[in-house]
């Protein structure tokens, strides 16, 4: 009833605006969710620190542009590289020693890594927010009729889709992709096949973290406040997006990202009085979807072979 | 024979500890009392978490949510009726509950039962999930609970929180609860039900084929865990004298995770040790937050925030180098202790069949 | 070093300071610590003894806040405590100070519950109901007829302000429809586009949006991006450099109520404070810094009038009698609840600075 | 009396039909073997009977101890176990980290009547049940010489003993029908012979019906009363060992031409 | 060419191999038989570098392999068909074969080898695009053998390739073992099926709880009454 009222009362302009907002948020979620899924797909572990890698990438960008005054396009490239390295370092320090450990240990180590990054950022950069560098070209406003759109919002979906395509190609059609999938199932035997599993896992982390960096840059331009806790909520939501889509499935991550992004906007748009429950929405969707599809929308349906 | 001896020893130990609690309560300062109380409350919650995560092998991260339920039950029902208007100053309390007042022990049990009920309801959808999926779903549930509490202004006072909960800082009271929870869980784990939980942890399919109803037992463990977490949360609220939704962020659960990992997943005595080490350890690490002067030179490393960096490094080092925790799945038992006292170096030898 | 402290026990007076120096509220804690340190520098002695600050971090966490307060009392034997930013943190310590009969003076904990039913908690700041009412009056005075409220629903401070704003504004206009929308968001949210799109469609005259400065700055930025040009009103939490840093030119024109401004600084203490602040930290002091400074003044004034630094109950009684104390944020008197009765200043962001625009005295 | 009957069960995984229209009938106290090439669908048939998979089509019917025929399709594995069907697995699935003793005690849980509360409080009626279970478990473990090793963790046992332990664990549920999935896999001929004797012994001792998948033909031919042969999910033959050994289709699909050593 | 000297391997404190010496000369089929838990798999896992020995030496064509990691060891031309198959369940049959040839660069030859393996195991060709995880046990075993062959090893070690296979398939596998041996590959075979294994072996070792207790030609051991009694069963010969 309320929904109907809200719908009728909504002008075409508002509706279009909501859709634009939703797509932009959704593709941001998708972008970060892909990184989760990448790592999960190979190591079968939630990289709890992924959200915090996003946070670190934001600080890197800040230092690049606002402190060292490197041109923004160069900074972006540097940030992507540095963040990829950070991902590799985290993998080496926190996950590699646990290769043969039970899954729970790895999960705990991941939580520990996430905790460490947050506390470290807090200690080094203080809890006070910094402003993400303003890049006029990307953050300027454009008007399309009554719809207002930020330049970056036009790029976000495009970048996300392009990254998706590249990634799918790598995983499905290249030798490294094949070895990634092999490593994910049985790394002992993968070694026997002559695969250097440490390299494969490092590459996976590098790619995942590079994606986090791209996501972070777009996130930062769109929501320009940097704090040590910045990664927590997006991290959690994007992880949920990945799970909704089917963890390990790259297309699923994108689908999940869009469902969450658009869903959140729609909740607030049509049920304004529920706006306080917006964050709960992600979790409710998650639980409902898992109830019907325990491995997510596009996750492979597995009957465990007995 | 040995059984009887063990029982006597246990009773002596408990009595001794209770005496210690009595001493702490009357002879020491309130700072120490607070730390001791916090240790015990954390132990209850650690134990509750171990029941699902350690014994039943269901990696659940919902403890903060269940604690919140227990804490709010205490918050809502124990604040004196006369003080309620000043607590609920922004929007008056819902008339249905505005006049219900309970003594603390009753509110604790009500809170525990509510948490168990919620666990029962959410168990149906989430307990079908495995591993990471379960972890995220339960974590999500604890967030939902928190968000609902935030928005339910007339019942929970929303973000304003509830204060004027009659303060509890009586070590004996909390000790009694902790001991009861400890004894109950220990007893339960050593029954057929406890074995069934462990069977589920080891291999769900085999357990099912052996006639163990997966859902029923997971649900039982989950509800018991929620019940005790609710009690723990209630004690926590009474200890602080105030609650608000921000207390129960999902990151709170990580504290208990640390406790059970440190103590050893699947070890009751491990959880007890873990909770003492974590709570006391965090207090001890506080020196890292205070400026340090060595020979008149201020060491720049030591400033607020450093403690948490060290804490997280320790957490990681722990899982990296000592992943089974202090106790693993073993327990402290009288038999082993006595054997150890008789032959302190025996543990280095090969372990034989030592039961008669 | 602990030994040194013990040796010098007799000739120093220890004052406990507990603030969130890490965690969510670290920024606020930091600013307040400045004020307290500055005050300590300006007034290093009372009763002929040196005042030593014992600073403890409550990590923006309630359990920590309680432990830390207990620790200050038991281990460091302080007889008076200053702090804290964040009402829930203050409330967590409330029982401790009450139980141990050690008075505490809140810096910027504005929730009425902090001092209610607690004889040992006082504060140097005004409270949420007052601030909400002040802003409602200001909006009404400037011709607003239709207001939208966007509150940070998980923040006690924001919820309190919003509630009293709403009540006052409805009373002023006489029409419940004058509040056209109350929208909620959670701490840590980054995307407000949906809320704002809805509100834009309803054409408010002004938006009242109490909340954390980070979220608020992002909120206002996004409003401007969506072409929403109406003024934003908020509370004293906005008054930080970060609000302007993050918000940039988009927060130009945003107004807030606060406790202190250079232009309205009437007391001699304020002049001293301003000079010292500029010397020490450069730039413009925040109201939080000023309030924290005042909290310190209230504490040592209490000790002075009590004539003892060891009997905490006497100190409490003296603090409760605080009247017309020369403080930075004006002459300070504590009411029967222990709350400071104080005038409010309205400031507006202009050219990247908080500029004085109005003054609201207590009736 | 027929104890188990499958009524045209079929199992499909995606596009693959693992079992189609399977008709099996097992009489009480029989030993029946299920053989067939790899991938024929034998394990899948077991999984459908024990409730781990739900058949895409068809029904599994079981006659309980009161002589009533009940439909067990779609029932939970645990309920099926309670009705008296126990099994072992092709890839051993013991509770690895638990002791030998606990492994077997767990199987006694399904008959426990006491609720968790009276168990935790060690009330007399719970204790009585436990004492009875302990006696039975002791007897079972002694029968396979595992009593001495009862404190060892299951994973530390040699493979052969793990197989025995798995069978004993299944027996501890007091089954009427025991399903064994390749019990002799990984055993050398000598161990296989011992196993044959052991299976015979337990059948007599516990009045069991046994349904077994096996590739060791000596064992199968030696012990079975009847044999079903599966290929590509379908039954290609059934009958006495002798008949099967001589069946042309079975020879070409599975046994191969006998060559002498 | 492969030489193991005084090898000791321990899991935790318990020694699974207590000083083993053996030799695998080029071009031969060497069999290792022994009861469950004798340490046969442990030996192979140690040779391929999945387990690190406590002491002893492993050399291959005079190159010291002791303590190297698997990845290095396989480049010398050794491969393993692991116990329990362990195919990559999330890769298709074809991809499993391709990954067997991971270290090779000669695409054309790889394609030929795939065809060769398909001709040996037509069942795999039918299932070329099916995920390996959904194959039955026997099909997976064929794939595991095929995958190992794809690296064109000079020494192929097989850990109970007949485990859980139908008699017909076992015969196939043994035929193939002889076939590839005829092509010049050296084979180190572990079997429970001692009868068949000894028949094709040039030389055989008997392993008992971590020690080698007997060795000899296949036919010698087949005739040895102790062996017959312990591993072959009474009936049939
Ligand atoms: N990962 C491990 N940890 C501890 N002990 C192990 C491990 N793997 C094997 N063992 C032990 O080492 C001994 C030898 O095992 P191994 O697997 O090598 O035997 P095997 O001869 O291959 O037997 P099977 O015929 O059953 O395959 C056994 O006692 C086994 O229990
Ligand atoms: N969970 C599953 N998902 C997909 N396919 C499956 C699954 N379980 C079995 N199959 C397929 O069903 C067919 C029958 O498998 P099953 O395991 O029943 O064979 P089996 O007769 O027991 O063979 P083996 O003797 O080799 O164990 C096989 O082709 C297998 O690939
Ligand atoms: Mg099978
Ligand atoms: Mg083996």
């Amino acid at each position: 009833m309320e929904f109907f009222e809200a719908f009728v009362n909504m002008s075409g302009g508002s509706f279009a605006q909501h859709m634009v907002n939703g797509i932009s948020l959704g593709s941001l979620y998708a972008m970060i969710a892909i990184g989760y899924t990448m790592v999960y797909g190979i190591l079968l572990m939630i990289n709890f620190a992924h959200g915090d890698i996003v946070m670190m990438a934001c600080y890197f960008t800040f230092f690049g542009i606002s402190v060292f005054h490197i041109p923004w396009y160069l900074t972006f490239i540097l940030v992507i590289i540095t963040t990829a390295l950070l991902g590799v370092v985290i993998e080496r320090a926190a996950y590699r020693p646990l290769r043969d450990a039970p899954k729970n240990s790895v999960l705990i180590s991941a939580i520990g890594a996430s905790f460490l990054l947050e506390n470290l950022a807090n200690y080094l950069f203080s809890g006070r927010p910094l402003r993400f560098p303003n890049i006029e070209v990307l953050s300027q406003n454009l008007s399309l009729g009554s719809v207002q759109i930020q330049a970056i919002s036009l790029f976000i979906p495009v970048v996300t889709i392009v990254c998706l395509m590249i990634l799918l190609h790598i995983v499905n059609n290249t030798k490294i992709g094949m070895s990634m999938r092999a490593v994910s199932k049985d790394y002992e035997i993968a070694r026997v096949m002559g695969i250097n599993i440490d390299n494969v896992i490092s590459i996976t982390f590098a790619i995942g973290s590079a994606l986090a960096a791209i996501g972070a840059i777009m996130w930062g331009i769109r929501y320009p406040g940097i704090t040590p806790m910045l990664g927590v909520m997006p991290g959690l939501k994007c992880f949920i997006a990945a799970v909704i889509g089917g963890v390990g499935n790259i297309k699923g991550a994108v689908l999940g990202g869009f469902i969450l992004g658009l869903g959140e906007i729609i909740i607030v748009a049509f049920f304004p009085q529920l706006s306080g429950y917006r964050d709960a929405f992600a979790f409710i969707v998650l639980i409902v979807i898992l109830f019907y599809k325990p491995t997510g929308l596009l996750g492979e349906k597995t009957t465990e072979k007995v | 024979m040995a059984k009887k001896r063990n029982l006597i020893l246990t009773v002596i130990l408990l009595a001794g500890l209770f005496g210690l609690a009595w001493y702490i309560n009357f002879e020491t300062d309130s700072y120490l009392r607070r730390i001791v109380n916090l240790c015990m409350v954390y132990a209850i919650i650690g134990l509750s978490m171990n029941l699902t995560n350690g014994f039943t092998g269901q990696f659940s991260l919902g403890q903060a949510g269940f604690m919140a339920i227990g804490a709010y039950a205490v918050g809502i029902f124990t604040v004196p009726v006369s003080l309620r208007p000043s607590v609920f100053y922004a929007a008056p309390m819902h008339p249905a509950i505005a006049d219900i007042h309970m003594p603390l022990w009753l509110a604790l049990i009500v809170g525990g039962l509510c948490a168990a009920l919620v666990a029962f309801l959410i168990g149906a959808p989430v307990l079908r999930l495995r591993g990471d999926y379960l972890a995220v779903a339960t974590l999500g549930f604890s967030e939902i609970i928190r968000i609902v509490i935030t928005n339910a202004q007339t019942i929970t006072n929303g973000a304003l929180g509830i204060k004027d909960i009659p303060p509890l800082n009586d070590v004996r009271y909390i000790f009694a609860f902790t001991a009861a929870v400890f004894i109950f869980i220990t007893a339960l784990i050593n029954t057929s039900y406890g074995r069934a939980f462990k069977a589920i942890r080891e291999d769900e399919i085999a357990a099912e084929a052996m006639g163990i109803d997966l859902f029923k037992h997971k649900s039982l463990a989950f509800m018991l865990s929620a019940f005790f977490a609710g009690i723990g949360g209630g004690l926590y609220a009474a200890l602080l004298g105030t609650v608000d939704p921000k207390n129960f962020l999902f990151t709170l659960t990580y504290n208990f995770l640390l406790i059970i990992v440190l103590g050893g997943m699947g070890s009751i005595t491990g959880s007890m040790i873990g909770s003492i080490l974590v709570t006391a350890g965090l207090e001890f690490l506080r020196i890292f937050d205070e400026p340090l002067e060595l020979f008149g030179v201020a060491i720049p490393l030591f400033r607020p925030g450093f403690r948490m960096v060290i804490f997280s490094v320790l957490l990681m080092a722990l899982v990296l180098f000592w992943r089974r925790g202090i106790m693993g799945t073993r327990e402290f038992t009288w038999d082993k202790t006595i054997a150890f006292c008789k032959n302190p170096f025996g543990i280095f030898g090969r372990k034989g069949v030592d039961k008669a | 070093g602990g030994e040194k402290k013990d040796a010098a026990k007799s000739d120093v007076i220890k004052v406990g300071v507990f603030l969130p120096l890490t965690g969510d509220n670290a920024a606020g804690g930091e600013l307040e610590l400045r004020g307290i340190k500055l005050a300590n520098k300006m007034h290093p002695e009372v009763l002929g003894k040196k005042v030593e600050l014992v600073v403890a971090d409550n990590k923006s966490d309630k359990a920590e806040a309680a432990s830390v307060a207990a620790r200050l009392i038991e281990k460091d034997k302080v007889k008076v405590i200053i702090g804290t930013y964040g009402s829930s943190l203050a409330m967590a310590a409330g029982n401790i100070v009450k139980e141990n009969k050690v008075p505490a003076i809140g810096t910027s904990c504005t929730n009425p519950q902090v001092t209610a039913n607690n004889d040992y908690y006082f504060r140097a700041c005004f409270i949420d109901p007052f601030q909400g009412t002040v802003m409602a009056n200001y909006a009404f005075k400037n011709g607003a007829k239709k207001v939208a409220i966007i509150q940070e629903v998980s923040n006690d401070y924001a919820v309190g302000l919003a509630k009293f704003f709403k009540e006052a504004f409805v009373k002023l206009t006489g029409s419940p429809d004058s509040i056209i929308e109350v929208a909620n968001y959670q701490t840590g949210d980054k995307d407000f586009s949906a809320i704002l799109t809805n509100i834009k469609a309803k054409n408010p005259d002004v938006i009242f949006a109490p909340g954390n400065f980070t979220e608020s700055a992002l909120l206002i930025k996004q409003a401007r991006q969506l072409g929403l040009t109406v003024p934003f009103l908020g509370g004293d939490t906005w008054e930080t450099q970060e609000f302007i840093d993050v918000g940039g030119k988009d927060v130009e024109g945003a107004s807030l109520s606060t406790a202190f401004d250079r232009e309205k600084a009437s007391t001699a203490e304020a002049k001293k404070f301003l000079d010292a602040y500029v010397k020490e930290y450069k730039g413009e002091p925040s109201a939080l810094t000023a309030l924290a400074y005042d909290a310190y003044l209230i504490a040592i004034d209490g000790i002075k009038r009590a004539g003892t630094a060891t009997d905490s109950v006497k100190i409490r009684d003296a603090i409760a009698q605080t009247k017309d104390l020369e403080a930075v944020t004006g002459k300070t008197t504590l009411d029967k609840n222990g709350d400071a009765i104080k005038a409010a200043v309205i400031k507006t962001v202009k050219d990247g600075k908080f500029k004085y625009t109005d003054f609201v005295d207590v009736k | 009396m027929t104890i188990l009957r499958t009524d045209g069960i079929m199992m499909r995984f995606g596009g693959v039909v693992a079992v189609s229209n399977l008709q099996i009938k097992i009489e009480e106290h029989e030993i029946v073997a299920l053989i067939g090439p790899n991938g024929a669908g034998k394990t899948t048939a077991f999984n459908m009977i024990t409730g781990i998979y739900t058949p895409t089509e068809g029904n599994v019917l079981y006659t309980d101890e009161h002589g009533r025929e009940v439909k067990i399709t779609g029932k939970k594995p645990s309920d099926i176990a309670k009705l008296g069907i126990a099994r072992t697995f092709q890839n051993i699935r013991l509770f690895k980290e638990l002791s030998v003793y606990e492994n077997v005690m767990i199987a006694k849980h399904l008959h426990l009547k006491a609720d968790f509360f009276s168990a935790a409080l060690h009330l007399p009626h719970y204790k009585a049940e436990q004492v009875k279970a302990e006696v039975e478990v002791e007897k079972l473990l002694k029968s396979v010489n595992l009593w001495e090793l009862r404190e060892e963790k299951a994973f530390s046992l040699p493979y052969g003993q793990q197989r025995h332990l798995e069978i004993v664990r299944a027996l501890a549920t007091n089954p009427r029908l025991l399903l064994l999935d390749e019990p002799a896999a990984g055993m050398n001929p000598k161990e296989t012979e011992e196993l044959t004797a052991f299976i015979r012994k337990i059948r007599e001792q516990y009045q069991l019906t046994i349904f077994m998948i096996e590739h060791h033909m000596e064992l199968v031919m030696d012990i079975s009363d009847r044999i079903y042969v599966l290929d590509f999910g379908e039954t290609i033959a059934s009958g006495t060992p002798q008949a099967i050994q001589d069946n042309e289709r079975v020879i070409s699909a599975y046994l191969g031409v006998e060559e002498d050593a | 060419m492969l030489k193991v000297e005084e090898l000791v391997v321990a899991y935790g404190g318990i020694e699974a191999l207590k000083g083993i010496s053996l030799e695998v000369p080029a071009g031969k089929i060497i069999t290792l038989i022994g009861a469950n838990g004798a340490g046969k798999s442990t030996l192979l896992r140690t040779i391929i570098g999945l387990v690190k020995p406590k002491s002893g030496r492993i050399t291959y064509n005079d190159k010291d392999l002791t303590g190297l990691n698997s990845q290095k060891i396989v480049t010398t031309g050794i491969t393993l068909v692991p116990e329990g198959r362990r195919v990559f369940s999330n890769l298709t049959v074809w991809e499993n074969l391709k990954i067997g040839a991971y270290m090779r660069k000669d695409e054309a030859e790889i394609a030929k080898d795939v065809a060769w393996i398909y001709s040996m195991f037509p069942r795999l060709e039918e299932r070329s695009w099916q995920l390996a995880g959904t194959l039955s046990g026997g099909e997976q075993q064929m794939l595991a053998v095929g995958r190992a062959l794809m690296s064109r090893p000079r020494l192929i070690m097989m850990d109970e390739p007949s485990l859980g296979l139908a008699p017909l398939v076992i015969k196939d596998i043994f035929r193939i073992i002889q076939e590839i041996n005829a092509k010049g590959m050296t084979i180190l075979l572990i079997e429970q099926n001692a009868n068949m294994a000894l028949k094709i072996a040039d030389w055989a070792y008997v392993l008992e709880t971590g020690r080698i207790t007997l060795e000899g030609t296949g036919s010698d051991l087949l005739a040895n009454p102790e062996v017959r009694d312990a591993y072959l069963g009474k009936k049939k010969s």
Side-chain angles (χ1 to χ4, degrees), chain A residues 148-229:
Chain A
Q148 301 291 318
I149 186 164
Q150 210 185 357
I152 187 73
S153 298
L154 291 175
F155 284 106
I156 295 172
V158 177
V159 173
T160 303
I161 299 298
V162 169
C163 287
L164 169 71
M165 295 311 212
I166 295 176
L167 216 64
L168 281 177
H169 175 74
I170 292 179
V171 171
N172 290 329
N173 304 327
T174 64
K175 200 166 168 183
I176 180 77
M178 189 168 79
S179 44
M180 282 175 178
R181 284 179 289 145
V183 168
S184 80
K185 264 295 157 345
D186 190 333
Y187 51 77
E188 236 182 22
I189 299 307
R191 266 190 200 133
V192 173
M193 298 294 119
I195 299 173
N196 184 337
I197 67 158
D198 289 337
N199 281 353
V200 170
I201 291 174
S202 289
I203 292 172
T204 311
F205 263 84
I207 296 178
S209 307
L211 291 171
I214 300 176
I217 291 169
M218 301 195 296
W219 185 276
I221 296 173
R222 183 108 181 84
Y223 311 116
I226 316 174
T227 62
M229 295 293 147

Side-chain angles (χ1 to χ4, degrees), chain B residues 31 34-35 37-39 41-42 45 67 235-237 239-244 246-248 252 255-256 279 282-283 286 307, chain C residues 18 57-71 88-94 96:
Chain B
Y31 175 59
R34 177 154 295 278
I35 302 300
N37 281 334
L38 211 55
C39 278
V41 172
Y42 276 24
I45 301 162
M67 278 176 76
L235 287 169
Y236 181 75
L239 199 58
L240 289 183
T242 145
V243 283
D244 75 277
K246 279 212 183 104
N247 271 51
F248 303 103
L252 178 67
N255 286 340
F256 306 108
T279 323
L282 268 177
E283 271 314 303
R286 208 178 278 287
R307 172 170 78 126
Chain C
F18 85 117
D57 176 16
N58 60 35
K59 273 184 58 198
S60 315
D61 177 277
K62 282 170 64 165
E64 290 279 341
S67 298
V68 150
R71 185 183 152 100
S88 61
L89 300 172
M91 287 191 280
I96 313 281

Side-chain angles (χ1 to χ4, degrees), chain A residues 40 48 93-94 97-98 101 104 107-108 111 113 115-116 119 123 232 239 243 276-277 280 283 287 290-291 304, chain B residues 59 125 128-130 132-133 136 140-141 147 151 205 250 254 257 261 301 303 306 308 311-312 316 319-320 323:
Chain A
Y40 190 96
F48 259 89
L98 294 174
N104 285 353
L107 195 64
I108 293 160
I111 291 176
F115 221 48
L116 177 62
N119 287 321
Y123 176 70
V232 177
F239 178 68
V243 176
Y277 290 95
F283 298 109
I287 285 153
L290 286 186
F291 185 71
E304 191 177 344
Chain B
F59 204 88
R128 306 187 325 154
L129 306 170
R130 300 229 171 107
D132 306 341
Y133 290 92
V136 185
F141 252 114
I147 292 169
N151 285 283
I205 288 181
F250 65 90
Y254 296 166
L257 189 62
V261 172
L301 230 44
R303 60 186 151 92
F306 194 51
M308 290 315 285
F311 176 76
S312 23
M316 288 192 58
V319 253
L320 290 181
R323 70 186 66 136

Side-chain angles (χ1 to χ4, degrees), chain D residues 45-115:
Chain D
F46 266 31
N47 286 340
M48 288 190 283
I49 295 169
T50 51
I52 290 174
Y53 296 164
T54 308
T56 322
E57 268 174 35
N59 279 315
V60 183
L61 300 143
Y62 169 76
T63 311
D64 68 12
E65 54 207 318
H66 311 294
R68 281 182 304 238
E69 193 173 63
V70 287
K71 204 178 88 179
I72 56 174
T73 353
K75 274 199 171 28
K76 282 188 283 192
S78 56
D79 290 335
I80 292 172
K82 280 180 197 146
L83 284 170
I85 303 181
R87 71 172 288 178
T88 64
F89 295 91
Q90 183 169 356
N91 306 307
I92 302 180
R93 302 190 81 119
L94 287 169
F95 305 119
K96 291 201 188 70
E97 291 282 331
L98 303 184
S99 70
V100 168
Y101 186 74
E102 281 180 300
N103 263 278
V104 186
M105 274 304 275
I106 282 163
K108 287 281 169 212
H109 184 68
L110 82 170
H111 295 302
L112 186 77
K113 293 198 186 62
D115 61 290

